[in-house]
Amino acid sequence: MINFYIKILFLLRPIFLRLGVNFEQLAAIVEVKLKMDNRRARFNQWNKKQSESNGTFFLTLGLYFLMASAFSVFIYFSASITAVYSLVFAMMMFMLAMTLITDFSAVILDSNDNAVLLPRPIDDRTLLIARITHILMYLLSMMLALAIPFMVVTMLKYGVLVAISFLIISLLSLILIVFLTNIFYLVLMQFTSEERLRNVINSFQIVLTFIFMGGYRLVARLVNIEALMNGVDTKVQWWHFLVPPIWMGNSMNTIIKHEFDSTKFLFLFLTLTVPFMVVFLVNNVFSGVFNQKIAGMDIAKRQEKTPNKVAEKGLAETLSSIFTGTSMERGAFEFVWKITSRDRKFKLRIYPSLAYLLIYPIFMIGTGRNEGSFQQQIEHLRESTGMGIVVIYLCGTVLLTIRSQISQSEDFKAAWLYELAPISRPGEILSGSLRAIMVKFLLPITILLSIVLSIIWGVDLLDDLLFGMLTITNLDLLLSIGMSNELPFSTEIKKNGGGSFIRNMAYVFLAGTIGIIHYFMMQVPYVIGVFMLIQLALALFLFKKYREVGWEKVRME
């Protein structure tokens, strides 16, 4: 796979030379980064086979391919070229942008290689383009997995030349997304000090998630079934020129129909030029300060304050005394609570994903599109309590997201302290960690969700919310007791996916199945209340069993 990427890199050598990049240095840096990615995966979990860790990445590509294949049917049957291709490019750009923000931002802002690269005679432009090219190698694979089904259907319906045009525009959309995201980061670096950048960058990523998610949903709401099936194109508005997927949809319309006017020419001009303008800005305007800012992120030290008096009891200590039962649980609770608050790179991995999980149900609630006023859409939602159940279980997957990341850390080698300390039952650490996650993340989401559900469906759905959250908690406990576990921050960060894929899939499948059963149970009065008490008793019993988990159920590196 690495050789394939490097061959592509050498095919693009003239372009890199035109950018003023030292191509030999860039190729060497990218090749080493790709090899390090492979070696990092190869030695995960006691030298397990590399295919096990890399398999998740290829499985992701396969899922993208299947999803695009299912969606590509719309291209064949749709009579509106602009509408369907605007949706296609919106979906592709959204998927790529979310992957870039949630999975590769840590790579963009990674400073681990500064000690090796900065003392070398490598200019800032080459270093920045090497970072971006490294990410583009992975995103290119994802883009092709999404684009190939659409390209095949386009070729069958409109011919080879149109299919090639679609592929070229898809590549331009990838360039636009990657470099536009980097411009946002670089502009932020220009006006933010190194000290504050560490804290601001996480909030900014969540804002970017809102922007990309909102843009994706905006395009979807602009296109209706009538436009897709009957060829009724939406009238061009001034703000269409601010939405890149609409540029590209109109450009495909121009290429297929060969119809040119001033508006269509402007859309085509934006599609073909804006990605290169963005590359020019990154390469010539922002590259000079990028590496100094990245270096400063790790050079800047937090000022250590010498306390004049004994520190007062903090929030973590207060909550741990309420929600834990043993001293070991209390220590694990406080440890996880504080690390998740202070570890910048942990927040960089988690918070954008949490934003995505919380935004998506909100947009699901608004699927009424433009049918009537906002009040009428709310009234329509009140008639469908099933949507409320879907929102409950989707928000509950926050627990799955945090649990899949809580064991990972850059300082995982320090986990030898777990084995050195006199810990007879590591289940107490696991239980304290889970309690901290539930109190810090799941409890606030449950409170927020209770307010939203009460506004839309009334307080009658609150018992369903508690039942759903107890169900998700019990599922997590059952899977944790029955399968192997990892102690908090004891394993290496898995950039291409983790080893908990089977557990996650089982979690999602069981939660979905119980959600369906939940929907039918709520049709019978008092059933949810009775089973909620049973769920609560089961949760207390499972927490007790989880606390008793021994070393034979713990996996460490």
Side-chain angles (χ1 to χ4, degrees):
M1 197 68 177
I2 295 177
N3 292 333
F4 172 73
Y5 287 140
I6 297 302
K7 286 179 181 178
I8 293 178
L9 204 61
F10 274 87
L11 288 176
L12 300 175
R13 177 179 179 138
I15 297 176
F16 287 112
L17 293 177
R18 290 281 296 176
L19 292 174
V21 171
N22 187 316
F23 181 78
E24 285 70 24
Q25 292 180 346
L26 179 138
I29 293 172
V30 172
E31 184 175 4
V32 169
K33 282 179 176 287
L34 292 173
K35 287 181 178 179
M36 291 300 295
D37 289 342
N38 256 12
R39 291 174 182 177
R40 185 179 292 111
R42 187 188 303 273
F43 292 105
N44 275 342
Q45 299 179 10
W46 290 310
N47 293 333
K48 287 186 178 180
K49 292 183 179 178
Q50 180 186 353
S51 58
E52 182 178 339
S53 54
N54 285 346
T56 305
F57 178 69
F58 289 107
L59 180 61
T60 301
L61 297 183
L63 292 175
Y64 280 9
F65 181 85
L66 291 176
M67 181 178 62
S69 299
F71 197 80
S72 63
V73 176
F74 286 102
I75 293 180
Y76 194 83
F77 291 104
S78 174
S80 174
I81 297 172
T82 300
V84 73
Y85 279 104
S86 294
L87 271 180
V88 166
F89 285 112
M91 185 199 77
M92 290 175 57
M93 294 177 74
F94 166 72
M95 297 293 291
L96 294 172
M98 290 306 304
T99 301
L100 177 62
I101 292 172
T102 57
D103 294 342
F104 291 103
S105 290
V107 179
I108 297 174
L109 302 174
D110 187 21
S111 57
N112 289 335
D113 54 6
N114 283 345
V116 177
L117 295 177
L118 292 184
R120 301 315 193 258
I122 305 173
D123 61 271
D124 293 332
R125 183 176 299 175
T126 300
L127 276 177
L128 176 58
I129 298 299
R131 285 177 183 268
I132 297 174
T133 303
H134 175 217
I135 297 167
L136 276 171
M137 292 298 178
Y138 291 106
L139 291 180
L140 178 62
S141 300
M142 296 180 179
M143 188 277 293
L144 290 176
L146 288 169
I148 287 175
F150 297 122
M151 190 172 67
V152 170
V153 176
T154 300
M155 182 178 64
L156 293 175
K157 188 173 183 179
Y158 299 111
V160 176
L161 292 179
V162 176
I164 294 173
S165 301
F166 174 82
L167 179 61
I168 292 172
I169 295 176
S170 299
L171 290 170
L172 292 176
S173 71
L174 173 61
I175 293 172
L176 180 63
I177 282 294
V178 172
F179 281 87
L180 198 59
T181 304
N182 276 276
I183 282 182
F184 278 125
Y185 285 139
L186 292 168
V187 169
L188 187 64
M189 289 178 181
Q190 293 280 5
F191 300 101
T192 307
S193 66
E194 294 86 357
E195 184 91 15
R196 293 182 57 198
L197 183 59
R198 292 194 301 255
N199 301 319
V200 172
I201 198 69
N202 299 112
S203 302
F204 187 69
Q205 282 185 298
I206 295 174
V207 172
L208 277 180
T209 304
F210 273 93
I211 291 172
F212 284 120
M213 183 70 181
Y216 162 68
R217 296 298 301 182
L218 176 64
V219 173
R221 290 175 67 89
L222 290 174
V223 181
N224 53 39
I225 297 299
E226 182 185 6
L228 281 175
M229 305 312 296
N230 300 327
V232 180
D233 286 329
T234 305
K235 184 179 179 181
V236 175
Q237 305 290 336
W238 64 269
W239 48 268
H240 287 186
F241 295 97
L242 304 177
V243 185
I246 296 180
W247 311 344
M248 297 169 184
N250 279 277
S251 298
M252 288 300 297
N253 190 17
T254 301
I255 293 169
I256 292 169
K257 292 186 175 180
H258 306 289
E259 295 176 355
F260 289 91
D261 57 36
S262 58
T263 303
K264 290 184 173 61
F265 177 80
L266 184 54
F267 279 126
L268 186 61
F269 176 79
L270 290 172
T271 300
L272 297 178
T273 58
V274 170
F276 296 105
M277 292 170 61
V278 172
V279 172
F280 175 82
L281 282 175
V282 172
N283 189 52
N284 292 278
V285 178
F286 296 108
S287 62
V289 298
F290 179 80
N291 292 294
Q292 291 123 355
K293 293 290 183 179
I294 292 295
M297 289 175 66
D298 279 354
I299 293 173
K301 303 291 185 182
R302 292 183 179 179
Q303 295 181 352
E304 296 184 0
K305 298 180 180 180
T306 304
N308 296 324
K309 58 180 181 179
V310 178
E312 297 180 357
K313 194 175 183 180
L315 178 62
E317 289 78 7
T318 302
L319 293 174
S320 67
S321 62
I322 297 173
F323 291 101
T324 60
T326 67
S327 59
M328 189 70 70
E329 271 189 339
R330 192 173 302 114
F333 185 103
E334 296 173 11
F335 172 64
V336 170
W337 185 286
K338 292 177 180 179
I339 291 295
T340 54
S341 298
R342 298 171 182 173
D343 189 340
R344 176 178 58 85
K345 293 187 178 180
F346 174 82
K347 293 188 287 186
L348 200 63
R349 299 196 313 271
I350 287 297
Y351 285 176
S353 299
L354 292 183
Y356 170 72
L357 287 173
L358 294 177
I359 294 168
Y360 192 74
I362 293 173
F363 279 108
M364 282 187 63
I365 291 175
T367 52
R369 305 173 70 89
N370 296 323
E371 299 171 1
S373 64
F374 177 76
Q375 184 62 36
Q376 290 173 329
Q377 293 186 37
I378 294 296
E379 292 295 332
H380 176 71
L381 278 174
R382 286 172 180 163
E383 299 173 2
S384 174
T385 54
M387 182 62 71
I389 301 301
V390 171
V391 171
I392 289 171
Y393 282 89
L394 276 177
C395 288
T397 55
V398 166
L399 182 60
L400 173 64
T401 303
I402 303 294
R403 291 277 277 168
S404 64
Q405 294 288 335
I406 198 68
S407 65
Q408 301 179 26
S409 172
E410 284 197 335
D411 301 319
F412 69 99
K413 292 182 180 180
W416 61 268
L417 287 170
Y418 287 126
E419 297 178 290
L420 183 64
I423 301 172
S424 59
R425 294 189 304 181
E428 293 186 76
I429 297 177
L430 295 170
S431 176
S433 170
L434 177 58
R435 290 167 191 261
I437 294 170
M438 292 180 64
V439 174
K440 186 171 185 177
F441 296 101
L442 194 60
L443 182 59
I445 290 172
T446 303
I447 294 172
L448 178 63
L449 194 55
S450 67
I451 297 172
V452 174
L453 294 178
S454 298
I455 293 173
I456 298 177
W457 285 282
V459 295
D460 293 340
L461 214 59
L462 292 183
D463 57 344
D464 295 283
L465 172 62
L466 294 176
F467 181 86
M469 293 303 170
L470 284 170
T471 298
I472 289 167
T473 302
N474 287 337
L475 279 177
D476 186 87
L477 286 167
L478 282 169
L479 291 172
S480 298
I481 293 170
M483 303 176 71
S484 60
N485 295 270
E486 295 170 338
L487 293 172
F489 313 109
S490 64
T491 62
E492 187 179 6
I493 296 173
K494 304 168 181 65
K495 294 189 176 181
N496 290 336
S500 56
F501 178 76
I502 295 176
R503 173 176 172 165
N504 293 345
M505 288 298 99
Y507 187 100
V508 172
F509 173 76
L510 291 172
T513 303
I514 295 176
I516 295 172
I517 297 172
H518 182 172
Y519 176 74
F520 290 105
M521 287 172 57
M522 67 186 295
Q523 311 302 322
V524 182
Y526 307 113
V527 169
I528 292 297
V530 172
F531 275 89
M532 184 170 61
L533 295 176
I534 297 174
Q535 289 267 44
L536 180 59
L538 179 61
L540 295 174
F541 173 76
L542 291 176
F543 263 115
K544 182 180 178 182
K545 288 295 182 182
Y546 194 37
R547 188 185 295 167
E548 297 171 358
V549 167
W551 283 105
E552 68 278 0
K553 287 290 185 71
V554 173
R555 183 175 65 245
M556 295 185 64
E557 295 186 356

